[in-house]
Amino acid sequence: MDTLLVKRAQKQDMEAFIQLMEKHKTNLYKIAKSYLGSEEDIADTMQDTVLSAYEHIGELKNTSYFKTWLTRILINHCMNLLRQQKRCVVSEKLPETVGTETEDDREFYELIGELPKDYRMIFLLYYGEEFRTNEIAQILDLNENTVKSRLRRGREKLKHILCY
């Protein structure tokens, strides 16, 4: 369904673009929250992301990668803001969900909070947002093998935490 909405949005269908943004706003919020601590910064970054996506959606070649493309735009805006503020560290605060948060969600975020910073975003994108390893590598500008090894090491750390 996303593919059809993306194609319509690329043809300047405003309603299709709005539907896409509504569908992905919670995911964007979670990711922005993992980078930024301030709600104002998160709102500004999400607004900039939506504007950039709207202006450049016609340049997206493969519509099936819309979510990856949109996430990369968001992360770029987060990193730009952090560079402007001269505090280029990922926030220690865990992302909060917009709307309804289940007990499983809270447990998941508490659990990944036990991981080192380098692993948290990968776990959020892989398990929370269901991106594939090659997509995560593109989004975070990492080698795919690095993503796979961090997932493996992170699982080992979590296994150690949960079993002891």
Side-chain angles (χ1 to χ4, degrees):
M1 180 170 129
D2 264 5
T3 305
L4 295 174
L5 283 175
V6 173
K7 286 180 181 178
R8 285 180 36 212
Q10 286 180 317
K11 294 177 182 172
Q12 306 301 316
D13 182 340
M14 182 63 78
E15 185 59 37
F17 184 79
I18 292 170
Q19 287 177 20
L20 283 168
M21 293 301 106
E22 284 294 320
K23 182 176 182 180
H24 295 285
K25 73 179 179 183
T26 302
N27 298 336
L28 293 175
Y29 177 85
K30 289 179 194 176
I31 293 166
K33 183 73 174 177
S34 69
Y35 278 90
L36 309 169
S38 156
E39 290 296 323
E40 294 82 17
D41 289 345
I42 293 168
D44 289 344
T45 302
M46 288 181 62
Q47 183 177 11
D48 292 342
T49 299
V50 170
L51 181 60
S52 292
Y54 180 74
E55 291 173 345
H56 299 285
I57 195 164
E59 299 168 20
L60 179 62
K61 291 176 177 56
N62 187 341
T63 57
S64 62
Y65 286 112
F66 174 78
K67 185 176 177 184
T68 303
W69 175 78
L70 185 63
T71 303
R72 184 71 234 173
I73 292 171
L74 175 71
I75 290 173
N76 286 341
H77 282 292
C78 288
M79 296 306 290
N80 288 342
L81 181 63
L82 289 172
R83 271 193 290 278
Q84 289 171 359
Q85 296 174 346
K86 297 191 190 298
R87 54 182 170 102
C88 293
V89 293
V90 176
S91 175
E92 290 297 319
K93 294 178 85 177
L94 293 174
E96 299 171 9
T97 57
V98 176
T100 60
E101 181 181 76
T102 66
E103 182 64 30
D104 289 340
D105 288 341
R106 281 190 291 277
E107 289 174 8
F108 172 72
Y109 293 119
E110 287 175 15
L111 194 57
I112 65 171
E114 298 291 324
L115 294 172
K117 281 189 263 188
D118 294 344
Y119 298 175
R120 285 186 206 142
M121 182 56 66
I122 292 172
F123 267 68
L124 176 64
L125 293 173
Y126 188 79
Y127 291 108
E129 304 302 324
E130 299 179 352
F131 280 108
R132 296 186 307 268
T133 56
N134 63 334
E135 294 171 325
I136 295 169
Q138 288 176 343
I139 290 168
L140 299 178
D141 198 27
L142 296 170
N143 182 300
E144 185 176 359
N145 289 330
T146 302
V147 172
K148 289 178 181 178
S149 66
R150 287 183 184 172
L151 276 171
R152 183 180 44 76
R153 289 183 193 136
R155 286 184 200 115
E156 290 170 4
K157 287 182 184 296
L158 290 177
K159 184 177 179 181
H160 181 73
I161 291 168
L162 292 172
C163 292
Y164 298 102

